[in-house]
Amino acid sequence: MAEKVVIWGAGGHAKVVADILRLSGLEVVGFLDEVNSGRRGQPFFGSVVLGGAEQLDSLLHSGVRRAFVGFGNNRRRLEAGNQLESRGFELVKAIHPAAVVAADVKLGVGTMVAAGAVVNPGSGIGKNVIVNTRASIDHDCVVDDGAHVGPGASVAGSVIIGRCAWLAIGSTIIDKKHVGADSIVGAGAVVIHDVPDGATVAGVPAQMLQHAKKGDNLL
Ligand SMILES: CC(C)(COP(=O)(O)OP(=O)(O)OC[C@H]1O[C@@H](n2cnc3c(N)ncnc32)[C@H](O)[C@@H]1OP(=O)(O)O)[C@@H](O)C(=O)NCCC(=O)NCCS
């Protein structure tokens, strides 16, 4: 019988996660939506929206011990992962069969590696990280907890990506740079200097965005 897993999140990113977990042989018992309580009971991507986090205890009691946080807000995803673990859930990993992860790479719990992504030798990936579709992380990188390496982002060797940093779609980081915690690297940016904690940078070469609204990266 397939092991059961619940996914916290019920948007586009949660669909991608569900697809990967099903490919790994898990049964997705449902999705949690903290934002819209009106979706409770509605069908969603081959399963159902169960309600919000108030459902966690009854899920545990019914024997669902595995969980995955499948939404894009980095800080919140990390918090939700910690919350699940402290309640007694096991956070699973979601590694697409068409991802390439070198044998020595350590991946934290709750981390997703999507289709076409590559993680090369010597790199370490934290917990609740998203390595999104076709992203590449080269050798000897460190990707801290809660970070999101966006679709098609390219990270060269020996780069450090800080906690909850977001590398947006198609961005590039040259080797040996440090991308600070909670920073945002805009779509298509090319980072050639270190990025300070909390900064938003964009452009080629990447420069600070003075007027960025610090938009949330909800998916
Ligand atoms: C960097 C980003 C987060 C900034 O968003 P924001 O705070 O809402 O910024 P705004 O759209 O208000 O733009 C602020 C300024 O920065 C510029 N800018 C925004 N993103 C830029 C980018 N990627 N490259 C170059 N300039 C950019 C805007 O043109 C604007 O300039 P102006 O003040 O001269 O008009 C956003 O533009 C981005 O790149 N998002 C990535 C989306 C993505 O990857 N989605 C996939 C999710 S899986």
Side-chain angles (χ1 to χ4, degrees):
M1 212 170 66
E3 303 281 2
K4 296 177 189 316
V5 63
V6 62
I7 296 174
W8 189 339
H13 183 63
K15 289 185 187 176
V16 182
V17 167
D19 182 57
I20 297 173
L21 294 178
R22 286 171 178 150
L23 286 170
S24 315
L26 293 170
E27 178 192 344
V28 176
V29 296
F31 298 84
L32 302 179
D33 185 343
E34 278 284 274
V35 183
N36 184 354
S37 56
R39 288 179 72 196
R40 187 174 172 179
Q42 290 181 5
F44 181 72
F45 199 57
S47 189
V48 66
V49 178
L50 299 166
E54 78 285 349
Q55 300 299 320
L56 289 172
D57 284 340
S58 58
L59 280 162
L60 258 187
H61 289 132
S62 68
V64 180
R65 309 213 160 273
R66 291 174 175 74
F68 195 94
V69 188
F71 55 76
N73 181 306
N74 287 346
R75 277 278 154 196
R76 186 69 199 112
R77 187 174 64 255
L78 196 50
E79 283 166 14
N82 291 337
Q83 198 177 329
L84 286 166
E85 282 188 305
S86 65
R87 281 171 182 251
F89 284 92
E90 177 197 337
L91 291 183
V92 296
K93 299 171 190 176
I95 316 300
H96 195 284
V100 178
V101 179
D104 69 335
V105 168
K106 291 198 171 44
L107 297 170
V109 294
T111 282
M112 161 188 164
V113 185
V118 178
V119 186
N120 268 344
S123 289
I125 314 289
K127 63 190 292 193
N128 296 107
V129 167
I130 301 172
V131 182
N132 222 326
T133 313
R134 225 171 33 78
S136 76
I137 297 172
D138 225 291
H139 61 87
D140 303 307
C141 291
V142 176
V143 181
D144 206 342
D145 298 344
H148 176 180
V149 182
S154 300
V155 179
S158 305
V159 167
I160 297 175
I161 310 290
R163 194 176 169 89
C164 294
W166 177 30
L167 312 189
I169 188 164
S171 56
T172 298
I173 319 294
I174 69 164
D175 52 298
K176 302 187 186 72
K177 296 305 164 198
H178 181 201
V179 178
D182 297 303
S183 62
I184 298 173
V185 177
V190 176
V191 168
I192 60 168
H193 299 295
D194 289 350
V195 177
D197 290 357
T200 299
V201 300
V204 182
Q207 297 185 332
M208 295 274 218
L209 274 191
Q210 302 300 344
H211 305 297
K213 294 189 287 287
K214 280 259 162 268
D216 227 342
N217 56 338
L218 279 169
L219 300 174

